[in-house]
Amino acid sequence: MKILVSQDYQSLSQKACGFIEEEVNRNPASVLGLATGSTPLQTYHEMAEGHKTRAVDYHNISTINLDEYVGLGESDPQSYHFFMKEHLFDKVNINQARTYIPNGLADDLEEECSRYEQLIDQIGPPDLQILGIGQNGHIGFNEPRTSFKSETHIIKLAESTRKANARFFKSLEDVPKSAITMGIQSILKSKKILLLASGENKAEAIRSLLEDPPSDDVPASALCFHKNVTLLVDKEAYKKVEYLRGDELNHD
Ligand code: F6R
């Protein structure tokens, strides 16, 4: 795993945007794997700026999102469909017919999981997958003790995840109890992975990822088995890491 430590969230987001722009400029028909949540917000903002000011062209890309809450449709402001439109899809010249997010309103959720996994294989796998990390080490919504072999599935959200995400809802009761998520194996199919972590509340998850042996207690540790992962982390999220990894480490 390559590790790039940034001063702060702004610098991390600019770097993440740089990775994405480089990928899209090199291959205009790139498939991007996308995440939601607070962490990639500034990256998406930088991408929108890059589209306006650097003429980065997203017209031919496809996108595959990691997850969606069960029970929320695209017109629901808390859904990840809504989030993606608001923060990225409506801000760049992406062809929205080529943006894919699991359907949290599907009548048959198991069938939706199979459909989505097939889609990942048909459209993807992503050339570049963007990931955030939960305070409990989850990636996508793969909560601790999800099998590293999992494909797209329904997950019961950990109470700590529901509490962490309650900030986006009116109350904790409104946070859905389950989600559809790409599995860990689905994520590992990606050709390149960019893991973003910012802020002190991610410091323990990052320490554990880098210092503890891989284990399903920390789903992100499955990334140790992938050959092309870059961790973009800011100083706050990196501050509990004591074990330095020599030339894998870069500060700005
Ligand atoms: C979002 C996702 C989650 C988040 C994680 C961190 O699509 O899959 O794994 O990346 O919960 O969320 P934030 O960035 O809000 O701290």
Side-chain angles (χ1 to χ4, degrees), residues 34-40 66-67 80 131-134 138-141 165 167-168 202:
L34 298 177
T36 56
S38 303
T39 311
L66 285 166
D67 41 21
Y80 287 165
L131 294 177
I133 184 169
H138 71 213
I139 48 173
F141 271 138
N165 288 3
R167 66 191 190 281
F168 297 113
K202 302 295 169 64

mmCIF file of all heavy atoms in Angstrom, residues 34-40 66-67 80 131-134 138-141 165 167-168 202, ligand 1:
data_model
loop_
_atom_site.group_PDB
_atom_site.id
_atom_site.type_symbol
_atom_site.label_atom_id
_atom_site.label_comp_id
_atom_site.label_asym_id
_atom_site.label_seq_id
_atom_site.Cartn_x
_atom_site.Cartn_y
_atom_site.Cartn_z
ATOM 1 N N LEU A 34 -17.313 4.913 -7.055
ATOM 2 C CA LEU A 34 -17.478 6.115 -6.234
ATOM 3 C C LEU A 34 -18.074 5.823 -4.862
ATOM 4 O O LEU A 34 -18.862 4.888 -4.688
ATOM 5 C CB LEU A 34 -18.359 7.124 -6.964
ATOM 6 C CG LEU A 34 -17.788 7.636 -8.302
ATOM 7 C CD1 LEU A 34 -18.784 8.584 -8.971
ATOM 8 C CD2 LEU A 34 -16.438 8.311 -8.117
ATOM 9 N N ALA A 35 -17.698 6.673 -3.911
ATOM 10 C CA ALA A 35 -18.191 6.580 -2.536
ATOM 11 C C ALA A 35 -18.990 7.834 -2.199
ATOM 12 O O ALA A 35 -18.868 8.863 -2.880
ATOM 13 C CB ALA A 35 -17.004 6.460 -1.582
ATOM 14 N N THR A 36 -19.781 7.745 -1.149
ATOM 15 C CA THR A 36 -20.499 8.927 -0.649
ATOM 16 C C THR A 36 -19.927 9.267 0.732
ATOM 17 O O THR A 36 -18.836 8.826 1.069
ATOM 18 C CB THR A 36 -22.005 8.630 -0.568
ATOM 19 O OG1 THR A 36 -22.167 7.478 0.261
ATOM 20 C CG2 THR A 36 -22.596 8.369 -1.938
ATOM 21 N N GLY A 37 -20.668 10.030 1.526
ATOM 22 C CA GLY A 37 -20.200 10.410 2.859
ATOM 23 C C GLY A 37 -19.460 11.732 2.818
ATOM 24 O O GLY A 37 -19.304 12.349 1.764
ATOM 25 N N SER A 38 -18.991 12.158 3.984
ATOM 26 C CA SER A 38 -18.338 13.475 4.079
ATOM 27 C C SER A 38 -16.977 13.502 3.396
ATOM 28 O O SER A 38 -16.580 14.524 2.822
ATOM 29 C CB SER A 38 -18.108 13.847 5.547
ATOM 30 O OG SER A 38 -19.300 13.834 6.241
ATOM 31 N N THR A 39 -16.251 12.392 3.473
ATOM 32 C CA THR A 39 -14.849 12.435 3.045
ATOM 33 C C THR A 39 -14.662 12.849 1.588
ATOM 34 O O THR A 39 -13.835 13.729 1.314
ATOM 35 C CB THR A 39 -14.163 11.084 3.328
ATOM 36 O OG1 THR A 39 -14.454 10.714 4.679
ATOM 37 C CG2 THR A 39 -12.667 11.169 3.116
ATOM 38 N N PRO A 40 -15.401 12.287 0.621
ATOM 39 C CA PRO A 40 -15.118 12.674 -0.773
ATOM 40 C C PRO A 40 -15.776 13.989 -1.211
ATOM 41 O O PRO A 40 -15.600 14.389 -2.372
ATOM 42 C CB PRO A 40 -15.695 11.499 -1.583
ATOM 43 C CG PRO A 40 -16.727 10.877 -0.720
ATOM 44 C CD PRO A 40 -16.390 11.201 0.698
ATOM 45 N N LEU A 66 -20.700 2.477 -4.497
ATOM 46 C CA LEU A 66 -20.518 1.378 -3.551
ATOM 47 C C LEU A 66 -21.805 0.875 -2.923
ATOM 48 O O LEU A 66 -21.952 -0.318 -2.684
ATOM 49 C CB LEU A 66 -19.638 1.852 -2.387
ATOM 50 C CG LEU A 66 -18.156 2.011 -2.643
ATOM 51 C CD1 LEU A 66 -17.529 2.807 -1.500
ATOM 52 C CD2 LEU A 66 -17.517 0.635 -2.749
ATOM 53 N N ASP A 67 -22.713 1.800 -2.606
ATOM 54 C CA ASP A 67 -23.800 1.375 -1.727
ATOM 55 C C ASP A 67 -25.000 2.311 -1.765
ATOM 56 O O ASP A 67 -24.932 3.425 -2.315
ATOM 57 C CB ASP A 67 -23.281 1.244 -0.283
ATOM 58 C CG ASP A 67 -22.331 2.370 0.123
ATOM 59 O OD1 ASP A 67 -22.363 3.436 -0.513
ATOM 60 O OD2 ASP A 67 -21.553 2.175 1.057
ATOM 61 N N TYR A 80 -28.232 7.963 -1.385
ATOM 62 C CA TYR A 80 -26.945 8.165 -2.038
ATOM 63 C C TYR A 80 -27.127 8.539 -3.513
ATOM 64 O O TYR A 80 -26.255 9.188 -4.105
ATOM 65 C CB TYR A 80 -26.063 6.931 -1.846
ATOM 66 C CG TYR A 80 -25.530 6.825 -0.418
ATOM 67 C CD1 TYR A 80 -24.971 5.651 0.059
ATOM 68 C CD2 TYR A 80 -25.580 7.911 0.460
ATOM 69 C CE1 TYR A 80 -24.469 5.568 1.360
ATOM 70 C CE2 TYR A 80 -25.087 7.836 1.748
ATOM 71 C CZ TYR A 80 -24.543 6.661 2.195
ATOM 72 O OH TYR A 80 -24.036 6.576 3.480
ATOM 73 N N LEU A 131 -12.586 5.103 -2.084
ATOM 74 C CA LEU A 131 -13.177 4.584 -0.847
ATOM 75 C C LEU A 131 -12.985 5.564 0.290
ATOM 76 O O LEU A 131 -11.937 6.225 0.383
ATOM 77 C CB LEU A 131 -12.474 3.292 -0.409
ATOM 78 C CG LEU A 131 -12.588 2.038 -1.253
ATOM 79 C CD1 LEU A 131 -11.743 0.931 -0.620
ATOM 80 C CD2 LEU A 131 -14.036 1.595 -1.388
ATOM 81 N N GLY A 132 -13.981 5.649 1.185
ATOM 82 C CA GLY A 132 -13.768 6.241 2.501
ATOM 83 C C GLY A 132 -13.614 5.085 3.473
ATOM 84 O O GLY A 132 -13.682 3.917 3.090
ATOM 85 N N ILE A 133 -13.438 5.422 4.739
ATOM 86 C CA ILE A 133 -13.342 4.361 5.758
ATOM 87 C C ILE A 133 -14.204 4.761 6.947
ATOM 88 O O ILE A 133 -14.211 5.942 7.347
ATOM 89 C CB ILE A 133 -11.861 4.116 6.169
ATOM 90 C CG1 ILE A 133 -11.741 2.950 7.159
ATOM 91 C CG2 ILE A 133 -11.206 5.368 6.716
ATOM 92 C CD1 ILE A 133 -10.289 2.484 7.390
ATOM 93 N N GLY A 134 -14.950 3.811 7.481
ATOM 94 C CA GLY A 134 -15.758 4.101 8.670
ATOM 95 C C GLY A 134 -14.876 4.130 9.915
ATOM 96 O O GLY A 134 -13.767 3.590 9.916
ATOM 97 N N HIS A 138 -15.000 0.050 8.398
ATOM 98 C CA HIS A 138 -15.741 -0.484 7.259
ATOM 99 C C HIS A 138 -15.337 0.198 5.952
ATOM 100 O O HIS A 138 -14.876 1.337 5.944
ATOM 101 C CB HIS A 138 -17.271 -0.431 7.483
ATOM 102 C CG HIS A 138 -17.911 0.916 7.448
ATOM 103 N ND1 HIS A 138 -19.011 1.237 8.220
ATOM 104 C CD2 HIS A 138 -17.658 2.031 6.721
ATOM 105 C CE1 HIS A 138 -19.385 2.470 7.963
ATOM 106 N NE2 HIS A 138 -18.582 2.979 7.061
ATOM 107 N N ILE A 139 -15.486 -0.528 4.868
ATOM 108 C CA ILE A 139 -15.376 0.046 3.517
ATOM 109 C C ILE A 139 -16.660 -0.328 2.790
ATOM 110 O O ILE A 139 -17.174 -1.434 2.965
ATOM 111 C CB ILE A 139 -14.121 -0.437 2.741
ATOM 112 C CG1 ILE A 139 -13.964 -1.957 2.816
ATOM 113 C CG2 ILE A 139 -12.878 0.292 3.199
ATOM 114 C CD1 ILE A 139 -12.836 -2.515 1.942
ATOM 115 N N GLY A 140 -17.166 0.584 1.931
ATOM 116 C CA GLY A 140 -18.545 0.421 1.521
ATOM 117 C C GLY A 140 -19.325 0.357 2.826
ATOM 118 O O GLY A 140 -18.970 1.029 3.814
ATOM 119 N N PHE A 141 -20.344 -0.489 2.874
ATOM 120 C CA PHE A 141 -20.997 -0.705 4.169
ATOM 121 C C PHE A 141 -20.662 -2.095 4.689
ATOM 122 O O PHE A 141 -21.446 -2.722 5.391
ATOM 123 C CB PHE A 141 -22.512 -0.515 4.045
ATOM 124 C CG PHE A 141 -22.967 0.896 4.278
ATOM 125 C CD1 PHE A 141 -23.934 1.467 3.468
ATOM 126 C CD2 PHE A 141 -22.457 1.665 5.314
ATOM 127 C CE1 PHE A 141 -24.372 2.768 3.672
ATOM 128 C CE2 PHE A 141 -22.884 2.973 5.534
ATOM 129 C CZ PHE A 141 -23.848 3.521 4.714
ATOM 130 N N ASN A 165 -23.770 8.270 11.029
ATOM 131 C CA ASN A 165 -24.451 8.849 9.861
ATOM 132 C C ASN A 165 -25.719 9.608 10.221
ATOM 133 O O ASN A 165 -26.339 10.220 9.340
ATOM 134 C CB ASN A 165 -24.753 7.751 8.837
ATOM 135 C CG ASN A 165 -23.486 7.275 8.147
ATOM 136 O OD1 ASN A 165 -22.393 7.726 8.482
ATOM 137 N ND2 ASN A 165 -23.602 6.391 7.190
ATOM 138 N N ARG A 167 -26.006 12.300 11.513
ATOM 139 C CA ARG A 167 -25.855 13.734 11.244
ATOM 140 C C ARG A 167 -26.518 14.139 9.928
ATOM 141 O O ARG A 167 -26.836 15.302 9.733
ATOM 142 C CB ARG A 167 -24.377 14.142 11.260
ATOM 143 C CG ARG A 167 -23.541 13.552 10.140
ATOM 144 C CD ARG A 167 -22.054 13.793 10.419
ATOM 145 N NE ARG A 167 -21.192 13.479 9.291
ATOM 146 C CZ ARG A 167 -20.818 12.231 8.965
ATOM 147 N NH1 ARG A 167 -21.242 11.203 9.671
ATOM 148 N NH2 ARG A 167 -20.006 12.049 7.941
ATOM 149 N N PHE A 168 -26.727 13.203 9.026
ATOM 150 C CA PHE A 168 -27.363 13.531 7.746
ATOM 151 C C PHE A 168 -28.892 13.430 7.822
ATOM 152 O O PHE A 168 -29.575 13.770 6.863
ATOM 153 C CB PHE A 168 -26.873 12.572 6.648
ATOM 154 C CG PHE A 168 -25.399 12.680 6.374
ATOM 155 C CD1 PHE A 168 -24.544 11.629 6.682
ATOM 156 C CD2 PHE A 168 -24.858 13.830 5.819
ATOM 157 C CE1 PHE A 168 -23.181 11.718 6.438
ATOM 158 C CE2 PHE A 168 -23.504 13.930 5.560
ATOM 159 C CZ PHE A 168 -22.665 12.874 5.874
ATOM 160 N N LYS A 202 -10.893 9.179 12.412
ATOM 161 C CA LYS A 202 -10.493 8.017 11.618
ATOM 162 C C LYS A 202 -9.130 7.471 12.060
ATOM 163 O O LYS A 202 -8.646 6.474 11.507
ATOM 164 C CB LYS A 202 -10.437 8.370 10.127
ATOM 165 C CG LYS A 202 -11.749 8.883 9.547
ATOM 166 C CD LYS A 202 -12.827 7.821 9.581
ATOM 167 C CE LYS A 202 -14.214 8.338 9.257
ATOM 168 N NZ LYS A 202 -14.370 8.848 7.918
HETATM 169 C C1 F6R B 1 -20.016 5.598 1.538
HETATM 170 C C2 F6R B 1 -19.378 4.445 2.151
HETATM 171 C C3 F6R B 1 -18.802 4.465 3.533
HETATM 172 C C4 F6R B 1 -18.101 5.774 3.908
HETATM 173 C C5 F6R B 1 -17.634 5.722 5.348
HETATM 174 C C6 F6R B 1 -16.986 7.020 5.764
HETATM 175 O O1 F6R B 1 -20.447 5.300 0.239
HETATM 176 O O2 F6R B 1 -19.349 3.445 1.532
HETATM 177 O O3 F6R B 1 -17.872 3.417 3.666
HETATM 178 O O4 F6R B 1 -17.032 5.981 3.040
HETATM 179 O O5 F6R B 1 -18.730 5.468 6.183
HETATM 180 O O6 F6R B 1 -17.944 8.021 5.781
HETATM 181 P P1 F6R B 1 -17.548 9.541 5.982
HETATM 182 O O7 F6R B 1 -16.752 9.927 4.798
HETATM 183 O O8 F6R B 1 -18.881 10.266 6.041
HETATM 184 O O9 F6R B 1 -16.782 9.596 7.262
#
